[in-house]
Amino acid sequence: MPELPEVETMRRGIQPIVGCRIRSVSRTPCERRPIQITPAIELIHQRVRGKTIASIGRRGKRVLIQLDDQQTIVIEPRMTGLVLLVAPPTTEHLRLRISLAGGSSNELLFWDRRGLGTVRLLSAEEASQWLGEARIGRDALEITTEQLREQLASSRRAIKVALLDQKHVAGIGNLYAAEILHLAGVDPRTRCDRLTKPQWQRIHGATLTVLNDAILHEGSTLSDGTYRNALNQDGGYQNQHRVYDREGQPCGKCSVGTIRRIVQAQRSTFFCPVCQRKSGVYASGKRVT
Ligand SMILES: [Zn+2]
């Protein structure tokens, strides 16, 4: 968290800065451990001062601020980062300020409570390396069913764990992986190499449905309240969750099952044992019928 829908909401939310000229880039006074900014902030400031923001992009879970001279500022929110056009939730966790001129916004802020987010300035050449498909898989909204299958179908890992691997498909995290597999009716423990073609089709279709729906709701703001859009407002998709963080509650899809929580690769997985019925072989190697 934030995952693709939240980062896409950030991307859309900061569109008003397109066409603005960068006046300065600076770290804000912050007593917390400094976030990782590469190269040094003074160098970033020198390289981007006076440049115009040409477009705002997204690569997986990163926001890309593309400048008119082909440089790109890459902001990776990681756990708790936010990009904001308005006053942040707290001043003590404010990390970076990009002062702007010539448009409707005077500044873009990067706020990060836990401070695991990163900011990186890339040249055009560095961007093609850092953001290329050798390092980051195809976007979850752009990948086809066949490409998804090609990427994962030879893996012996559980499908839920494999969907989180950004090298194969970019943008899906723990929350949306659970929601996608529930909508697809696939047991999260099923080994990738045992999934059938119809199951891959259902997973792909559910990926598009869940992620696009979450974008329409501007992402999920969980009970910790951390995630906010660029105007410091809550998302709304948390009210649509079917399984995530709903252990012990009845399944809204089949009305029969009770949502269970298990742990896969040190992360919680939520699923309905009735409509995500066991089939095939689990990643543990145990055969079930
Ligand atoms: Zn169910």
Side-chain angles (χ1 to χ4, degrees):
M1 197 61 185
E3 303 180 23
L4 187 153
E6 289 77 30
V7 179
E8 176 61 19
T9 302
M10 293 177 193
R11 186 192 74 79
R12 295 179 184 193
I14 64 170
Q15 283 295 322
I17 70 171
V18 171
C20 289
R21 204 175 66 252
I22 296 178
R23 293 175 57 203
S24 66
V25 180
S26 57
R27 282 187 191 267
T28 48
C30 180
E31 292 182 3
R32 313 275 161 157
R33 190 170 62 88
I35 64 161
Q36 190 189 323
I37 298 178
T38 315
I41 192 75
E42 298 76 16
L43 197 53
I44 294 182
H45 170 74
Q46 284 172 21
R47 280 173 53 184
V48 307
R49 186 177 45 172
K51 302 291 188 292
T52 298
I53 295 171
S55 61
I56 309 294
R58 179 182 58 76
R59 185 79 176 93
K61 304 180 200 174
R62 299 161 191 77
V63 173
L64 312 181
I65 301 171
Q66 287 147 338
L67 308 182
D68 58 350
D69 66 348
Q70 311 301 317
Q71 295 189 97
T72 305
I73 301 170
V74 181
I75 298 179
E76 188 168 7
R78 303 282 293 277
M79 298 290 285
T80 55
L82 299 178
V83 293
L84 294 156
L85 297 181
V86 298
T90 61
T91 50
E92 63 182 313
H93 303 105
L94 195 57
R95 309 292 181 153
L96 185 83
R97 171 176 282 113
I98 302 179
S99 294
L100 304 166
S104 55
S105 299
N106 297 327
E107 60 184 11
L108 176 74
L109 303 172
F110 182 63
W111 178 96
D112 192 348
R113 184 163 51 76
R114 289 188 62 181
L116 299 173
T118 63
V119 176
R120 187 178 289 271
L121 176 66
L122 301 176
S123 66
E125 193 186 337
E126 288 167 334
S128 63
Q129 278 175 19
W130 269 87
L131 305 170
E133 288 196 2
R135 286 190 78 244
I136 307 169
R138 196 154 289 191
D139 195 79
L141 289 179
E142 289 168 8
I143 199 165
T144 65
T145 307
E146 269 315 301
Q147 288 165 343
L148 186 67
R149 244 181 98 208
E150 275 169 28
Q151 285 293 320
L152 300 179
S154 61
S155 170
R156 295 163 68 90
R157 287 184 298 179
I159 179 62
K160 156 73 191 331
V161 177
L163 282 176
L164 305 185
D165 188 339
Q166 303 298 302
K167 285 204 276 301
H168 294 297
V169 54
I172 301 172
N174 200 46
L175 190 164
Y176 292 102
E179 294 294 325
I180 287 165
L181 292 174
H182 179 255
L183 185 62
V186 171
D187 188 313
R189 298 165 292 187
T190 313
R191 259 170 55 171
C192 290
D193 61 351
R194 304 303 170 103
L195 285 165
T196 63
K197 205 168 175 182
Q199 284 178 314
W200 283 113
Q201 284 164 346
R202 293 211 307 274
I203 292 168
H204 180 252
T207 299
L208 295 179
T209 302
V210 167
L211 296 180
N212 281 317
D213 208 20
I215 291 168
L216 286 179
H217 286 87
E218 301 209 315
S220 300
T221 300
L222 303 181
S223 53
D224 66 3
T226 297
Y227 166 71
R228 326 277 293 159
N229 70 13
L231 299 177
N232 194 14
Q233 297 161 333
D234 284 354
Y237 194 69
Q238 64 280 5
N239 302 317
Q240 311 295 319
H241 293 174
R242 299 168 178 94
V243 284
Y244 185 80
D245 207 17
R246 295 178 65 84
E247 184 182 17
Q249 297 186 43
C251 172
K253 189 170 155 194
C254 65
S255 314
V256 179
T258 300
I259 307 302
R260 274 188 66 194
R261 186 184 80 92
I262 57 171
V263 175
Q264 292 180 287
Q266 291 89 50
R267 314 287 304 275
S268 289
T269 299
F270 298 90
F271 72 108
C272 169
V274 176
C275 53
Q276 292 169 269
R277 200 178 296 281
K278 300 171 180 177
S279 65
V281 173
Y282 288 166
S284 63
K286 193 176 129 203
R287 176 170 287 279
V288 293
T289 52

